[in-house]
Every structure is written in structure tokens, then in C-alpha cells.
Amino acid sequence: MSWIKVAKVTDVPTNTGLAVEAEGQALALYKVEDQVYAIDGICPHAGGPMAEGSLNGCLVMCPWHGWEFNVKTGDCDFNPDIKTKTYPVKLEGEDIYINLEVKG
Ligand code: FES
């Protein structure tokens, strides 16, 4: 497993996401309670910037058309057939590591 350091926990806001890139892949990081979650940075609907979405609990709303996704599971809240990618996150102290090889 190859882990890539992408940010620090303190860089991630509480009510929205943080856009990061790992090996050319756009990702969005979110902080929910004491954990950090990573999903695809590009909305599966029409390519909206997921890191700019507002976060309510573990649901993030895409800023373009309002689709909501659970940042823990990638599930879309209104259609079980739609899902965004999730990525494993590892915290080491303040450092956030992402693994791109395992997708949820
Ligand atoms: S691009 Fe995200 S909801 Fe349309």
C-alpha cells in the first residue's frame, strides 16, 4: 500500500472541504468529528468541485446542483445507484495520508 501525504488536519475546514491533489487525482477532504474522509474531488453528476461544497454532518452538498453525498461511504443521499469514490485516510499526528490504490 502506498500512502501519500496530502495535507495537515488543521488545513481542513469544518463546514466545507479542502481540495488536494495526489498523483494528478483531484480529491476533497472533509473533517467529521475527529476523523478525516476523502472522496473524489470531481462530482459524478457534471464535474462540480466537491471540496467547495457545504458540509452538514457527514453529508456534503455539491455547490453546482445540490446533489449530496455521504463523505464516509460515497453514497448519494437520494439515489442508491449513484456513488462517488472514497479513499482510505490515515492520520499520523497532524499529517493526512491518502491511499489511491483502494477505492470505496
Ligand atoms: S455537478 Fe455536482 S450536482 Fe451537478
Side-chain angles (χ1 to χ4, degrees):
M1 265 197 188
S2 136
W3 293 92
I4 303 163
K5 183 178 164 185
V6 290
K8 291 196 172 296
V9 173
T10 49
D11 296 334
V12 185
T14 50
N15 296 322
T16 186
L18 176 72
V20 296
E21 199 177 289
E23 295 183 353
Q25 168 75 47
L27 303 164
L29 304 181
Y30 306 94
K31 194 156 39 182
V32 179
E33 293 156 5
D34 288 335
Q35 188 52 263
V36 173
Y37 298 91
I39 67 170
D40 193 331
I42 307 297
C43 180
H45 175 221
M50 291 307 301
E52 295 175 21
S54 58
L55 183 68
N56 184 8
C58 59
L59 284 181
V60 62
M61 179 186 286
C62 177
W64 282 7
H65 313 102
W67 287 21
E68 289 187 309
F69 297 91
N70 185 317
V71 301
K72 296 181 181 179
T73 63
D75 293 339
C76 182
D77 73 331
F78 68 89
N79 186 336
D81 294 333
I82 300 171
K83 202 170 165 70
T84 194
K85 283 179 268 187
T86 60
Y87 297 88
V89 173
K90 180 172 78 170
L91 301 181
E92 282 187 7
E94 280 295 303
D95 295 329
I96 302 170
Y97 291 83
I98 302 294
N99 191 318
L100 294 176
E101 295 166 9
V102 184
K103 292 179 194 149

